[in-house]
Amino acid sequence: MGRVRSRAGRTGAIQMTTAYIGRRRQGELVVTRRPEDTELTPDRSFELVNHSPSGFEVGYRGSGPAQLACALLLDYYDDEQFAREHYIAFRNQVVSQLECDSAAVCWHLPGEEIDAAMAALTDDVVALADGGRPSPTLPENWRTVSRPDRRVFQRADRDHYIVLGDGTDEWLVVLRSQGDRAYPAPLAHRTVAEDADVEQVIQELAEESNDLIEPPEGEH
C-alpha cells in the first residue's frame, strides 16, 4: 500500500476555490459549500455508509463526524471508492478537530487543506481500524485491517470492529462499536483456545454484528 495522492477532483482550477463552512442552526450543524453557497446534506453519503441518520457533527471521533467526513470527501473528490476507503482516517485527523458552538461561522475548511490532509495520510493502517481489504471468509461488508500488534476487522457500513487479541493461552475476540464514544464499547466477546478455529469465531461475530438492530440515536 502506498501514500494517498492528492487528487484532481472535479476540475483543477474550480476545485482550488472550493471551501466548506460550518455553523449551527437551531442546534443542528449546517455545512455550506463555497463558492456555490449550497448546503451539503448527508443524503448522498448515506448511499455509502449510514453512521448518523440524525446528521453531521464535529469535534470528536464518532458517528456524526464520520458521516460528515464521508460526505466531504465524496462531495469534494466525487469518488465513491476514495471516500469509502479514507473517510475514517479523515474524520480522525481533520473533522474531529473542528469546533462549532454558535450560529456564526464556526469553521472554514478550504479545499487545499483537504488535499493537504489526504496527501499526509497513508493507506497503511497502524493505529486505527481504517480502510482495509475485503476478506474471502467474512461477509462482504467487512474488511480485514493490518496492524502490527493485532488483527482488526472493520465493518464498512457501521462503526463496528472485531479485534483479535493474543492472550497467554487463548484468543480474546471482541466485537466493538465506536458510536459516539471516545473509546470503542464492547458489544460481544469470545475467548477461544489457541488451537481452536478462531476464524470461525470471527465469522460468527461478524454475522452477529450484521444481525444487530441498533436503536435510534438518543435511545440508549
Side-chain angles (χ1 to χ4, degrees):
M1 299 181 185
R3 183 173 294 276
V4 173
R5 295 170 295 179
S6 178
R7 301 172 63 83
R10 296 175 174 176
T11 57
I14 294 176
Q15 188 192 38
M16 290 303 292
T17 66
T18 298
Y20 300 88
I21 63 170
R23 61 166 61 90
R24 294 284 176 188
R25 183 173 62 201
Q26 297 181 342
E28 178 184 356
L29 180 65
V30 177
V31 180
T32 303
R33 176 189 170 108
R34 297 266 177 92
E36 298 89 347
D37 282 330
T38 55
E39 186 172 321
L40 180 68
T41 71
D43 295 347
R44 188 182 176 198
S45 65
F46 283 151
E47 297 177 7
L48 300 186
V49 295
N50 188 349
H51 289 297
S52 179
S54 61
F56 299 142
E57 265 305 337
V58 293
Y60 60 100
R61 297 182 178 186
S63 300
Q67 200 70 54
L68 176 57
C70 183
L72 286 170
L73 293 185
L74 184 59
D75 184 76
Y76 185 63
Y77 292 115
D78 198 24
D79 185 326
E80 292 185 358
Q81 181 177 350
F82 186 80
R84 184 184 291 110
E85 290 179 354
H86 302 296
Y87 77 95
I88 291 292
F90 185 66
R91 175 197 69 178
N92 295 343
Q93 296 298 319
V94 177
V95 178
S96 66
Q97 305 304 307
L98 301 176
E99 297 181 355
C100 194
D101 297 320
S102 69
V105 172
C106 299
W107 50 265
H108 178 263
L109 185 62
E112 52 265 35
E113 290 188 15
I114 297 176
D115 283 331
M118 296 313 301
L121 296 172
T122 68
D123 284 336
D124 296 314
V125 180
V126 294
L128 296 166
D130 302 336
R133 296 183 177 278
S135 167
T137 61
L138 293 178
E140 61 181 9
N141 61 327
W142 283 84
R143 300 188 184 109
T144 301
V145 178
S146 298
R147 281 186 51 162
D149 57 338
R150 68 193 64 185
R151 293 173 64 192
V152 177
F153 308 87
Q154 177 191 6
R155 183 171 166 180
D157 55 343
R158 282 285 188 272
D159 265 339
H160 285 189
Y161 308 93
I162 295 174
V163 181
L164 178 63
D166 187 1
T168 304
D169 299 314
E170 60 188 11
W171 296 103
L172 176 62
V173 190
V174 184
L175 172 64
R176 295 182 178 276
S177 175
Q178 180 76 41
D180 292 334
R181 302 171 178 86
Y183 299 97
L187 296 174
H189 71 276
R190 306 279 192 279
T191 53
V192 188
E194 287 190 340
D195 57 355
D197 186 359
V198 70
E199 300 297 333
Q200 179 62 35
V201 174
I202 293 170
Q203 292 178 38
E204 290 174 0
L205 285 180
E207 294 292 354
E208 184 170 332
S209 167
N210 288 344
D211 291 339
L212 284 176
I213 300 176
E214 296 183 342
E217 290 192 1
E219 295 184 13
H220 298 289

